[in-house]
Amino acid sequence: MVFAEADEEQCKPEMPCVLRRAPRPGSHTEHYSYAPPSVSSALPLPVAHPSLPGPCHDLQPSAPGVPALPPAGHPLGYGGAVDGGPSGYFLSSGNNRPNGTPALESPRIEITSYLGLHHAGGPFLHDADVEDLLPSCRRSPSTATLPLPGLEAYRDPSCLSPASSLSSRSCNSEASSYESGHSYPYASPQTSPWQSPCVSPKTTDPEEAFPRGLGACHLLGSPRHSPSTSPRASVTEESWLGARGSRPTSPCNKRKYCLNGSQAPCSPRGSPAPSPLGSRRVSGTEDTWLSTTTQYTSAAIVAAINALTTDGSLGPGDGVPTKARKTAPEPAPPVALKVEPAGDEPGATPPASDFPPEDFAFQHLRKGGFCEQYLSVPQAPYQWAKPKSLAPVSYMSPSLPALDWQLPSHSGPYELQIEVQPKSHHRAHYETEGSRGAVKASSGGHPVVQLHGYLETEPLMLQLFIGTADDRLLRPHAFYQVHRITGKTVSTTSHEAVLSNTKVLEIPLLPENNMRAIIDCAGILKLRNSDIELRKGETDIGRKNTRVRLVFRIHIPQPSGRMLSLQVASNPIECSQRSAQELPLVEGQSTDSYPVVGGKKMVLSGHNFLQDSKVIFVEKAPARIFLKQPIQYLLTCAGSLQQAALADPCGHLHMWLELKASWPASRRLRGRESPQTRLVFPGVSEFGIRRGIAALNSLVVEIPPFRNQRITSPVQVSFYVCNGKRKRSQYQHFTYLPANVPMIKMEPTDDFESSLACGPVSQGLSPLPRPCYSQQLAVPPDPVSCLVAGFAPCPQRSPMMPAPPSTSPKLQDLSSVAYTKGVSGPSLGHLGLQPPAADAPAVQPGSAEQPPPALLQPQ
DNA sequence: AATCTGGAAAGATAC
DNA sequence: CGGTATCTTTCCAGA
């Protein structure tokens, strides 16, 4: 049996002193981080709460007994937002964003009882309230700190990254559940002016009059509307800091690493600081699947990862080295930071009235985290095209589900469906390039989306954003953004908005069109990895993270006043130039399960299959985790943050630890230099390698017999197509059935089973009747239960791992839950033995079908 | 002239 | 640490 080695990527002490190029003018950062130099210069200071290293907004704790405080004037909220109580809903969402822990005096390990972190309340607490609660929620009483004397260089306190290193989840991620529950401009210290009003909120958008069915969304997560269609289209962008060279000819524009964290002399902006993101996390790509999720073969581990990954909220200073958060090198352009009263947007207006325009802007900024996530860059006076005329939809709920929430594609009579899938390849364009056009369909046309079951006459707004396509839960892709395409060839009206850091294309769905839309207005923009990785809280890495999915959402007003949200994701789309040409891509498989005896021919459909393509079947190894080195040592190897599972001598998982430490700049090590410090995670073993017979866009392979012919329950395995050393497709799932089981097409009866069959790998397989990745969540039996209010905000969290990864250190005994239960069998999916994909398994069945009372409190 | 596209050079990063 | 393979990002040119 061949065990995959521990994820080198994760254990690799990655560039603690990475010099990341500061966002350049013209770069995407222009679109996301805007702060007039005057203000930005002060960015590094979360002065508002010196005592609170971590940003309050990142921690939305609300004591269990403390009623969440809906924003004043907050209209009936979305879901439990306005339920007022500390519903589990918010509890699970708001808290999961751990946040900063006090500044680290030195590298250390903090061990905190997970449970202890669980009390944090809902996201609706005013920051002040949060502060009051901080003592108990920010840091669990059970927190233990283990100083590491030997280490000298420490992260900037503000850079403490609670982000888990095991997931690519973007901590602050765009429209994360956390933020979503937090997207109200509360007057809080957090909103202090240090967050520059660099952004002109929605109001600057000429398209204000555009249908506001989604207006709420705009306000909520979106500090402002996105700039014009093309990032580079805006003249202002180029003009801010002077037009940048078309090419980063100078090293200044390239990422440079140094051993001591000293600033690259050439860096125009400066200061490199040890990267708090040093801990490299891998975004699920074909090469990383094993090294990430799969390695943690224990349900508990995965669950823990899920729990931890969604969090990662960071403080204002988190993620981006303080020094890196520098003022724009040049004077702020005379950009009119026009900020109009939020009230301009009826219904969608948060209690902004309490703030002067500037504050409102601040609020949005901070909510969106724009200024926080990049080096400050002056805000450009983006302007929207003239608003289209379309009756605004009736709902104005200010609280729509965050983009990283997993939602069902259908509920009750409604079903959001992708009638025509996009092509599996679409070369995304960089900001430095011109648009590469809209995503097309394989047939040559464009993707088509339709909402079935909607009989009202009110138009609805379809949201589209670029989501991830890895084996984890669907979430906005940090490195890709949807790009609005306009022009004569575009027939579909669209509008661009920004929810947190995620651009969202809003496309009206009209009853007269049968609630059907041709998506010919959506291109894909690639953001520079270096820029995104620099973003505060971002823990994903962009390298080889080039697959995305188009994610469509629709919010249907219900008679009850609540909003029913549905979501569907497309098949994965490979966005890189090279990959699109060379990497094998599996889009579908003729069989998804077969008896252990194997022997049957399975036809894979896809691209780039070669005559010598091999299909390799792998099985996840038993969940055993070992720490190969003492924690302290692990820390030194871990970089800024690591997580580790502790196992007893028998390999049984006992608890999860989230380890935080700064990586001594002077001790930067290469991953290879300290192999002994890696965690050893028996990962997967290959049990079947078959050479396929390539045909046109298809590959025929014989299903190898399973190593264990006596299984009594279905066993899910994975396989991938390999064209060479580093040319592998993403993992696909396959289920072996007990030999005596009659071979009947295993049609998942529910999402749970579906998850077993399709697995978390939401990558592209889908000749199956129902693509797993399209099913983001178990479908509730009735619309009511599907109301977002009824969903746990963080479906990633397994029922057994409800505790949000709040404040940094975490320690939760999982031995009694996930691990013991999640050994094998159908329950694995729920227990997280499977990679947490944007699929049912990660969703709490209970929350979907039998939501806790607290989750469905009427508004 | 502007927009798409495909190709590939140059540089960065991984192995 | 150095060489090579890959991957990313930018540039070029033709449709």
Side-chain angles (χ1 to χ4, degrees):
Chain A
M1 189 175 259
V2 179
F3 290 126
E5 194 171 7
D7 181 3
E8 188 171 321
E9 299 266 7
Q10 294 182 11
C11 297
K12 183 180 303 180
E14 182 67 11
M15 46 188 189
C17 54
V18 174
L19 285 185
R20 290 185 185 284
R21 172 185 56 209
R24 300 175 294 181
S27 72
H28 72 284
T29 55
E30 297 165 354
H31 312 297
Y32 303 97
S33 71
Y34 312 80
S38 58
V39 179
S40 56
S41 58
L43 273 182
L45 41 104
V47 208
H49 297 290
S51 61
L52 300 178
C56 294
H57 80 278
D58 281 333
L59 180 62
Q60 295 296 317
S62 147
V66 180
L69 303 179
H74 178 345
L76 275 189
Y78 175 84
V82 292
D83 288 348
S87 66
Y89 170 84
F90 281 116
L91 280 176
S92 54
S93 107
N95 324 338
N96 29 19
R97 293 264 175 203
N99 63 351
T101 51
L104 291 180
E105 306 293 316
S106 66
R108 65 184 177 188
I109 299 175
E110 294 177 85
I111 302 175
T112 302
S113 164
Y114 229 171
L115 298 177
L117 302 171
H118 207 130
H119 310 297
F124 280 78
L125 277 183
H126 182 292
D127 282 316
D129 297 314
V130 171
E131 244 193 298
D132 294 335
L133 296 172
L134 280 176
S136 61
C137 51
R138 242 176 213 293
R139 185 164 245 185
S140 167
S142 58
T143 296
T145 298
L146 308 179
L148 296 182
L151 306 179
E152 294 295 342
Y154 314 121
R155 267 185 309 182
D156 175 327
S158 64
C159 294
L160 286 181
S161 172
S164 74
S165 59
L166 300 179
S167 156
S168 63
R169 175 74 184 75
S170 172
C171 300
N172 307 342
S173 168
E174 7 253 53
S176 65
S177 17
Y178 162 76
E179 294 193 40
S180 107
H182 210 18
S183 26
Y184 301 85
Y186 297 116
S188 77
Q190 298 276 324
T191 59
S192 64
W194 71 268
Q195 285 294 346
S196 150
C198 49
V199 174
S200 176
K202 63 201 191 289
T203 45
T204 58
D205 182 0
E207 272 191 18
E208 203 53 48
F210 192 71
R212 282 297 162 191
L214 299 176
C217 304
H218 299 201
L219 279 181
L220 292 186
S222 175
R224 62 180 178 69
H225 284 171
S226 155
S228 56
T229 6
S230 172
R232 57 183 324 200
S234 171
V235 176
T236 57
E237 299 175 17
E238 302 284 356
S239 60
W240 288 1
L241 306 179
R244 78 176 175 207
S246 56
R247 185 171 190 135
T249 51
S250 126
C252 309
N253 290 328
K254 298 291 185 178
R255 271 176 288 183
K256 295 295 181 185
Y257 297 130
C258 67
L259 294 180
N260 57 12
S262 64
Q263 174 177 353
C266 57
S267 174
R269 331 194 42 163
S271 48
S275 170
L277 302 178
S279 159
R280 184 157 246 189
R281 292 191 349 186
V282 183
S283 290
T285 57
E286 73 284 353
D287 286 343
T288 59
W289 189 84
L290 289 179
S291 57
T292 55
T293 318
T294 310
Q295 284 189 343
Y296 308 97
T297 49
S298 159
I301 295 176
V302 175
I305 292 174
N306 277 333
L308 293 171
T309 52
T310 347
D311 79 280
S313 69
L314 300 172
D318 291 345
V320 173
T322 300
K323 290 183 179 180
R325 272 178 274 114
K326 177 184 177 205
T327 304
E330 300 180 13
V335 174
L337 298 179
K338 178 183 178 184
V339 179
E340 298 175 14
D344 286 356
E345 223 161 317
T349 305
S353 57
D354 295 338
F355 304 88
E358 298 75 17
D359 288 339
F360 185 65
F362 290 160
Q363 292 296 345
H364 280 293
L365 280 178
R366 85 176 330 303
K367 297 308 178 185
F370 290 96
C371 290
E372 301 171 12
Q373 306 194 16
Y374 296 94
L375 297 182
S376 62
V377 176
Q379 168 64 51
Y382 293 116
Q383 295 252 316
W384 287 109
K386 213 42 203 161
K388 289 80 181 177
S389 58
L390 181 65
V393 292
S394 59
Y395 63 89
M396 295 294 182
S397 170
S399 178
L400 291 172
L403 298 183
D404 59 353
W405 284 22
Q406 312 302 301
L407 302 174
S409 63
H410 64 280
S411 177
Y414 311 111
E415 176 168 17
L416 185 59
Q417 196 169 53
I418 296 179
E419 305 290 334
V420 178
Q421 288 283 348
K423 271 170 53 178
S424 56
H425 291 145
H426 175 83
R427 180 173 165 182
H429 66 273
Y430 283 84
E431 293 168 310
T432 52
E433 298 182 300
S435 167
R436 287 186 178 278
V439 174
K440 299 176 181 60
S442 301
S443 59
H446 292 279
V448 175
V449 176
Q450 182 169 15
L451 172 63
H452 297 279
Y454 182 76
L455 306 177
E456 305 301 318
T457 57
E458 200 81 14
L460 295 181
M461 197 65 81
L462 179 71
Q463 290 180 306
L464 163 59
F465 64 91
I466 303 301
T468 56
D470 56 34
D471 46 292
R472 299 187 190 80
L473 289 176
L474 175 65
R475 61 196 179 285
H477 205 300
F479 300 89
Y480 291 90
Q481 296 285 345
V482 65
H483 170 76
R484 179 171 168 239
I485 303 293
T486 56
K488 294 176 292 186
T489 60
V490 178
S491 64
T492 304
T493 300
S494 66
H495 172 269
E496 205 174 46
V498 174
L499 293 182
S500 262
N501 295 319
T502 304
K503 281 189 182 179
V504 176
L505 215 52
E506 300 173 347
I507 303 164
L509 278 188
L510 310 175
E512 50 265 43
N513 290 340
N514 204 22
M515 300 307 281
R516 178 188 177 91
I518 296 174
I519 314 302
D520 61 356
C521 55
I524 301 176
L525 169 70
K526 173 66 168 66
L527 302 178
R528 268 192 237 93
N529 293 340
S530 58
D531 289 340
I532 297 306
E533 289 166 355
L534 175 67
R535 189 165 61 185
K536 161 179 115 52
E538 181 55 62
T539 50
D540 264 2
I541 59 173
R543 194 178 175 83
K544 298 184 72 177
N545 186 1
T546 56
R547 287 186 170 104
V548 309
R549 282 182 286 177
L550 298 184
V551 184
F552 299 94
R553 277 193 174 186
I554 192 78
H555 304 287
I556 310 170
Q558 297 297 293
S560 64
R562 288 190 283 188
M563 208 64 76
L564 172 63
S565 297
L566 301 179
Q567 170 178 299
V568 64
S570 74
N571 289 346
I573 302 171
E574 172 57 55
C575 294
S576 71
Q577 176 187 9
R578 172 186 168 278
S579 297
Q581 301 170 338
E582 303 173 16
L583 295 180
L585 178 70
V586 180
E587 295 182 319
Q589 60 193 78
S590 61
T591 305
D592 61 341
S593 63
Y594 199 73
V596 292
V597 294
K600 179 185 179 181
K601 292 289 190 298
M602 174 168 65
V603 180
L604 304 181
S605 61
H607 299 281
N608 301 330
F609 295 143
L610 307 175
Q611 285 308 314
D612 61 347
S613 291
K614 296 173 185 173
V615 179
I616 300 173
F617 284 75
V618 298
E619 176 194 14
K620 293 165 191 169
R624 291 181 297 160
I625 302 169
F626 303 94
L627 282 182
K628 208 171 180 178
Q629 291 293 323
I631 292 176
Q632 281 89 344
Y633 200 75
L634 167 67
L635 261 181
T636 65
C637 167
S640 62
L641 173 68
Q642 264 296 357
Q643 293 177 341
L646 295 186
D648 62 20
C650 296
H652 291 174
L653 179 64
H654 270 265
M655 58 194 76
W656 263 100
L657 285 178
E658 180 180 74
L659 310 179
K660 284 190 170 184
S662 293
W663 181 254
S666 61
R667 289 202 54 204
R668 177 173 179 255
L669 299 178
R670 291 183 182 178
R672 286 185 168 186
E673 294 178 322
S674 54
Q676 73 279 17
T677 64
R678 299 174 188 163
L679 292 177
V680 175
F681 292 88
V684 301
S685 61
E686 298 178 355
F687 64 86
I689 300 178
R690 293 289 182 278
R691 185 177 295 280
I693 300 174
L696 183 62
N697 294 332
S698 67
L699 187 68
V700 180
V701 63
E702 180 183 294
I703 297 171
F706 189 52
R707 60 168 182 76
N708 180 359
Q709 295 289 307
R710 294 183 292 182
I711 60 174
T712 56
S713 59
V715 173
Q716 183 185 25
V717 300
S718 298
F719 69 84
Y720 61 87
V721 176
C722 180
N723 281 355
K725 186 180 178 182
R726 302 176 69 179
K727 297 177 181 178
R728 305 187 309 186
S729 70
Q730 289 211 301
Y731 283 79
Q732 309 301 329
H733 286 251
F734 185 82
T735 301
Y736 276 107
L737 308 174
N740 58 350
V741 171
M743 187 51 207
I744 299 177
K745 174 69 176 175
M746 290 259 303
E747 201 63 55
T749 55
D750 56 31
D751 287 86
F752 167 68
E753 290 189 15
S754 170
S755 71
L756 286 178
C758 302
V761 171
S762 30
Q763 307 306 335
L765 291 195
S766 231
L768 298 180
R770 191 171 58 182
C772 293
Y773 38 75
S774 292
Q775 198 61 42
Q776 302 302 327
L777 182 68
V779 180
D782 67 278
V784 174
S785 62
C786 194
L787 293 177
V788 180
F791 286 107
C794 286
Q796 294 97 323
R797 238 150 247 124
S798 111
M800 291 164 290
M801 182 69 92
S806 96
T807 42
S808 56
K810 305 167 186 65
L811 173 61
Q812 177 169 19
D813 187 333
L814 302 176
S815 60
S816 62
V817 286
Y819 181 76
T820 55
K821 293 179 180 179
V823 176
S824 65
S827 61
L828 292 183
H830 289 296
L831 298 178
L833 269 182
Q834 297 169 23
D839 205 5
V843 173
Q844 305 169 25
S847 66
E849 300 182 340
Q850 294 182 327
L855 304 182
L856 287 177
Q857 289 181 12
Q859 299 176 17

